[in-house]
């Protein structure tokens, strides 16, 4: 039953649902999107029931709960019933053609199913299309009833009028509804496009920095090491003292290359974050800050999603660096907690305040990095302090556990 | 002297075995993954163990956790922890039992064979050896809070060298003063850090711990 299946999918695609949740987080058309999702689900269920009952389906058997053969049986049964009553009518004297009513009753669900399926296929204003389709079927049903009941006075004109007015009203209202789902989705796409570009820019810049650091650091030192070893090899028999000096040089170059690589790794993915997760990594950060920092960390045992963990770590590191560099604070505090699928981090200090995220690239970089996860960064820093940097990132714990202990 | 080694990379494991054997250590077992470390440590109770922080299967800090657990079961079991990077947080965890016989060094230090073997012997003898990088990273912190704030600059320098596991004589030669002057500095440090007179080695560990906790 791919038709019904696809209809269900279209009515409530799972990611659209998630998206509308995100959108609601941003405070725009929350209600409208959620409502239309619910209506869509309800209609899909009704549609499935109708399709099943009418038993007509041209779809693949695997895609629904109804086996294809059973549906075919129901359809054949319907046709058989129609024919049977017609025969009964013919045998009993072929007076008033009452089987027309039976046929009508059998055809009605099919008509509804066809109309709704067609309506679901339209893009955009699906509710309006659904309304039009149902109105059309009701109008046709009216005409058929009028025909079957002896076509006297054309009373269906009145329901037609009512349906037409309702439909026209709906069509007139739709463009005026503020923030419908389409609008919300369009805004969402714009945000995603912007943040994706931001994330890719950050990544590309990182890669370039890594390449340069490797080229000027570890690689250069390894070349020098190789040269020292090569010269030592040549001098070993002629001038052992000089050869020994070169060997010492080589050892120093190896140590420097390792130190460079360590610094590089710390910048990509700090080992302590890999080992201990966000909790341990923040404690390690706090240990390196020269002023007392009170860290209140309330995180579940399970690890957070790795990219979020990493972004959060660098955000805290940047915030603490700013505290040390600019705030002249005597104490600072960090609060981290995960609730309602949202990771909240607050870094505060009792310093001089007056921090401006527009100045300097640090906080802006963090903001862009967090934006890739729909995260936000707010800075409150009145002159005289205190400074509060608040970061929020939607986040679920991943299945990966922290190191066994 | 009986030693146990835990290192997952065969190249480094064989190198360590060769290096220690050449310096008259008897390597009784060289394990390559986290789960076997604890068994080897408890089973052999070696005079010293050299353990890599990062081991399979999780490749996080299993070696460190095994070392801490082994020392919980056998207090003071001498263990030297090696790592590609050093993290003051881990140094603090290793030292927190206050028992001594602990070392925490960068793997790079293996390149200076003489100094490395010296460090292994010192840990075996119950000493405390911290990598200069741990010490310097902590030294970068301006010390504001008590009780370390009470120490003079000179005393803090002495404490940093003590944290690296140097003997009084080594500290003296490093700072180009007499050993007697160093003893006096150390005595002052103990007093200022409220460390009651007891076993001198233990007080050294406690002083380093206070330093790492600052």
């Amino acid at each position: 039953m791919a038709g019904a299946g696809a209809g269900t999918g279209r009515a409530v695609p799972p990611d659209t649902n998630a998206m509308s949740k995100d959108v609601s987080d941003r405070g725009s058309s929350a209600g409208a999107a959620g409502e239309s999702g619910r209506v869509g689900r309800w209609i899909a269920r009704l549609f499935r029931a109708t399709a099943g009952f009418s038993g007509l389906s041209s779809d693949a058997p695997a895609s629904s709960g109804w086996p294809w053969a059973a549906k075919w049986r129901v359809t054949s049964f319907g046709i058989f019933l129609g024919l049977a009553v017609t025969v009964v009518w013919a045998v009993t004297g072929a007076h008033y053609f009452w089987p027309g009513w039976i046929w009508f009753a059998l055809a009605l669900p099919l008509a509804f199913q066809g109309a709704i399926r067609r309506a679901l296929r339209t893009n955009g204003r699906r509710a309006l299309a659904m309304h039009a389709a149902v109105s059309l079927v009701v109008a046709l049903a009216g005409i058929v009833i009028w025909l079957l009941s002896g076509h006297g006075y054309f009373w269906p004109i009145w329901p037609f009028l009512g349906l037409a007015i309702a439909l026209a009203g709906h069509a007139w209202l739709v463009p005026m509804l503020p923030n419908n789902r389409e609008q919300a989705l369009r805004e969402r796409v714009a945000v995603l496009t912007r943040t994706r570009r931001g994330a890719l820019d950050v990544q590309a810049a990182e890669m370039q920095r890594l390449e340069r650091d490797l080229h000027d650091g570890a690689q250069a030192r390894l070349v020098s090491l190789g040269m020292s070893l090569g010269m030592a090899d040549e001098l070993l028999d002629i001038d052992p003292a000089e050869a020994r000096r070169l060997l010492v040089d080589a050892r120093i170059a190896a140590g420097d290359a390792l130190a460079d690589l360590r610094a590089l790794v710390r910048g990509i993915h700090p080992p302590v974050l890999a080992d201990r997760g966000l909790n341990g990594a923040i404690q390690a950060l706090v240990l390196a800050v020269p002023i007392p920092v009170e860290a209140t960390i309330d995180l579940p045992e399970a690890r957070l999603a790795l990219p979020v963990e990493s972004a959060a770590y660098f955000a805290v590191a940047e915030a603490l660096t700013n505290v040390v560099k600019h705030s002249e604070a005597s104490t600072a505090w960090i609060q981290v907690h995960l609730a309602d699928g949202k990771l909240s981090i607050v870094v505060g200090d009792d310093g001089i305040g007056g921090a401006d995220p527009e100045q300097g690239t640090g906080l802006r970089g963090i903001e862009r990095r967090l934006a890739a996860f729909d995260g936000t960064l707010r800075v409150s820093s009145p002159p005289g302090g205190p400074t509060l940097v608040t970061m929020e990132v939607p986040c679920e714990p991943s299945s990966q556990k922290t190191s066994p202990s | 002297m009986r030693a146990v080694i835990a290192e997952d990379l065969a190249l480094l494991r064989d190198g360590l075995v060769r290096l220690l054997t050449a310096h008259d250590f008897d390597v009784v077992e060289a394990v390559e993954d986290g789960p076997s470390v604890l068994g080897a440590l408890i089973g052999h109770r070696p005079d010293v163990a050299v353990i890599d922080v990062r081991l399979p299967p999780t490749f996080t800090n299993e070696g460190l956790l095994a070392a801490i657990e082994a020392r919980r079961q056998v207090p003071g079991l001498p263990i030297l922890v090696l790592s590609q990077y050093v993290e003051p947080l881990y140094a603090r965890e290793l030292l927190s039992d206050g028992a001594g016989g602990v070392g925490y060094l960068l793997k790079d230090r293996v390149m200076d064979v003489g100094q490395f073997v010296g460090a292994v012997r010192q840990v075996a003898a119950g000493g405390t050896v911290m990598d200069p990088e741990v010490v310097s990273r902590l030294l970068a912190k301006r010390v504001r809070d008590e009780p370390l704030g009470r120490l003079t600059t000179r005393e803090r320098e002495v404490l940093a060298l003590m944290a690296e596991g140097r003997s009084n004589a080594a500290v003296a030669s490093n700072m180009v003063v007499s050993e007697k002057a160093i003893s006096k500095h150390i005595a002052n440090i103990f007093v200022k850090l409220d460390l009651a007179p007891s076993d001198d080695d233990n007080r050294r560990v406690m002083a380093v711990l206070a330093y790492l906790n600052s």
Side-chain angles (χ1 to χ4, degrees), chain A residues 190-397:
Chain A
V191 168
L192 288 177
T193 309
R194 183 163 46 77
T195 54
R196 185 182 62 174
R197 193 177 306 135
L200 290 176
D201 285 352
V202 169
Q203 198 186 13
E206 273 294 280
M207 289 297 189
Q208 203 171 20
R209 186 184 63 81
L210 285 180
E211 192 274 335
R212 198 172 310 137
D213 285 357
L214 275 174
H215 179 266
D216 298 350
Q219 278 178 334
R221 294 190 197 282
L222 288 173
V223 170
S224 130
L225 181 152
M227 269 164 52
S228 297
L229 286 177
M231 277 152 61
D233 188 17
E234 280 185 347
L235 289 175
L236 204 56
D237 297 326
I238 315 160
D239 187 352
E242 180 62 13
R244 177 180 290 271
R245 201 189 59 73
L246 285 165
L247 283 176
V248 172
D249 281 356
R251 199 174 70 196
I252 292 170
D256 290 348
L258 281 169
D260 275 354
L261 288 173
R262 254 198 314 274
L264 212 62
V265 167
R266 237 181 253 287
I268 304 169
H269 191 67
V272 64
L273 182 62
D275 291 356
R276 296 284 177 92
L278 192 55
N279 195 334
I282 290 179
Q283 280 171 15
L285 275 177
V286 165
L287 211 57
V289 178
I291 58 171
V293 181
E294 193 191 330
T296 319
I297 304 172
D298 179 18
L299 289 173
E301 182 74 3
R303 292 283 291 264
L304 307 176
L306 287 182
V308 173
E309 207 171 52
S310 174
Y313 171 84
F314 283 106
V316 172
E318 178 66 29
L320 283 177
T321 305
N322 286 339
V323 170
V324 175
K325 268 198 200 156
H326 309 297
S327 79
E328 299 176 28
S330 60
T331 56
W333 57 93
I334 299 177
Q335 287 158 356
V336 183
H337 72 273
L338 184 71
D340 302 329
K342 196 177 276 184
L343 176 69
S344 307
I345 304 172
V346 180
V347 181
D349 67 66
D350 64 351
I352 54 169
D356 180 7
E358 300 303 319
Q359 281 178 344
T361 52
L363 282 178
R364 293 236 55 112
I366 294 300
E367 196 173 11
R368 281 212 293 179
R369 198 163 171 172
L370 292 178
F373 306 98
D374 285 328
T376 55
L377 177 138
R378 285 195 312 277
V379 179
S380 150
S381 184
T387 300
L388 282 179
V389 178
T390 308
M391 291 161 278
E392 288 187 334
V393 190
C395 170
E396 296 294 339

Side-chain angles (χ1 to χ4, degrees), chain A residues 251 254-255 258-259 262 266 271-272 274-276 280-281 283-292 303 324 329-330 403-405, chain B residues 53-54 58-62 64-65 84-90 92-93 106 108 111-113 133 137-138 141-142 144 212 214:
Chain A
R251 199 174 70 196
L258 281 169
R262 254 198 314 274
R266 237 181 253 287
V272 64
D275 291 356
R276 296 284 177 92
Q283 280 171 15
L285 275 177
V286 165
L287 211 57
V289 178
I291 58 171
R303 292 283 291 264
V324 175
S330 60
S403 50
S405 49
Chain B
V53 165
R54 185 170 286 197
T58 65
F59 293 101
T60 59
N61 54 358
E62 302 202 302
L64 178 80
L65 298 174
Q84 290 287 11
Y85 62 96
V86 285
E87 184 58 63
L89 183 71
Y90 296 176
R92 196 167 70 170
E93 289 176 4
L106 276 176
D108 309 18
M111 288 192 289
D112 191 332
V113 176
E133 199 180 302
R137 273 174 65 187
L138 290 166
K141 288 176 69 163
R142 288 168 291 160
R144 284 190 195 171
L212 289 168
S214 65

Side-chain angles (χ1 to χ4, degrees), chain A residues 8-66:
Chain A
T8 324
R10 264 196 224 100
V12 229
D15 44 348
T16 312
N17 211 18
M19 237 182 266
S20 63
K21 206 170 101 208
D22 281 352
V23 170
S24 73
D25 287 344
R26 304 175 154 257
S28 53
S29 71
E35 204 58 38
S36 83
R38 220 168 7 251
V39 171
R41 248 191 314 269
W42 183 80
I43 289 172
R45 206 174 305 139
L46 181 80
F47 172 47
R48 222 171 10 234
T50 323
F53 177 72
S54 70
L56 184 115
S57 177
S58 56
D59 312 315
S63 68
S64 86
W66 272 71

